[in-house]
């Protein structure tokens, strides 16, 4: 079945360019000019990935992403004409899985789309087993069903957040650098990545699973090296 992608951008020229490149890759493409139209489409259609511009009229990408994340873990790539780190952090903090700054190389965007879809497809193909849980104190990671419970309550993580947490939990005591986390989770080399991408996802995970994210119980920072979950 063909992958279906929702492109949300108020710039018709950008939508046209993305439409051409995505169709050339064999993807189905549906377009929306703002967040309001995107949310309407999501109520009636199923998509595999969303490309979401931040600066739009009526309903901007940040607000739209927050609404989407209320009930969906669909992969989202944020787009913005701004390149400052604070804009990247804001986009990722609201639930975006990846971020690109305009103007961008369409081929790089395609590579990132494929990386996110690989993660999503892996999650959907995993079959239940009897050894599908990782338990760390009151944190339970169900790898088969991609579910997280903390202190008995289910926590919603995006696919990328889940993959990062699963990686660290499956190798307790091992320190993973930011580069290594990116390579393992995104399944690609670090030529295009920003350190903030991984760091913001780590912060998001801590906000969701830690009692006090500033003094984390689970994901520990090894200064100058990376991150780990203790044995």
């Amino acid at each position: 079945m063909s992958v279906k992608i929702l492109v949300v951008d108020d710039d018709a020229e950008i939508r046209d360019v993305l439409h051409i490149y995505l169709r050339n890759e064999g993807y189905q493409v549906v377009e929306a000019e703002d967040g309001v139209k995107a949310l309407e489409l999501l109520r009636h259609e199923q998509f595999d990935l969303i490309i979401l511009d931040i600066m739009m009229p009526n309903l901007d990408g940040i607000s739209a992403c927050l609404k989407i994340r209320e009930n969906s873990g669909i992969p989202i790539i944020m787009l913005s004409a701004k390149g400052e780190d604070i804009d990247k952090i804001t986009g990722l903090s609201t639930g975006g899985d990846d971020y690109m700054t305009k103007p961008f190389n369409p081929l790089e965007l395609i590579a990132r789309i494929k990386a996110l879809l690989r993660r999503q497809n892996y999650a959907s193909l995993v079959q239940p087993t009897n050894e599908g849980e990782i338990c760390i104190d009151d944190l339970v990671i169900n790898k088969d069903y991609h579910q997280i419970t903390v202190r008995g309550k289910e926590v919603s993580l995006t696919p990328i957040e889940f993959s990062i947490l699963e990686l660290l939990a499956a190798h307790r005591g091992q320190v993973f650098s930011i580069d290594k986390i990116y390579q393992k989770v995104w399944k690609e080399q670090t030529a295009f990545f920003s350190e903030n991408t991984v760091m913001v996802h780590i912060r998001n995970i801590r906000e969701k699973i830690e009692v006090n994210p500033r003094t984390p119980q689970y994901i520990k920072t090894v200064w100058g090296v990376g991150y780990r979950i203790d044995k």
Side-chain angles (χ1 to χ4, degrees), residues 158-219:
T158 68
I160 290 294
E161 291 167 358
F162 186 96
S163 296
I164 293 172
L165 181 60
E166 181 186 2
L167 172 68
L168 296 176
H171 301 84
R172 294 175 63 179
Q174 181 176 343
V175 181
F176 284 84
S177 68
I178 290 175
D179 282 13
K180 185 60 66 175
I181 291 172
Y182 189 85
Q183 291 171 13
K184 292 284 188 181
V185 171
W186 276 262
K187 303 297 184 183
E188 60 185 31
Q189 297 303 309
T190 57
F192 300 120
F193 97 118
S194 163
E195 287 191 1
N196 278 328
T197 300
V198 174
M199 293 169 65
V200 172
H201 283 303
I202 292 286
R203 189 182 72 181
N204 290 347
I205 297 169
R206 284 173 169 166
E207 291 287 343
K208 294 176 180 180
I209 70 171
E210 303 284 1
V211 174
N212 184 352
R214 294 188 176 183
T215 56
Q217 172 185 353
Y218 300 110
I219 300 179

Side-chain angles (χ1 to χ4, degrees), residues 79-98:
L79 301 180
S80 176
K82 298 181 178 180
E84 292 82 1
D85 285 344
I86 188 62
D87 296 300
K88 297 179 183 179
I89 291 171
T90 301
L92 296 171
S93 296
T94 55
D97 295 286
D98 207 345

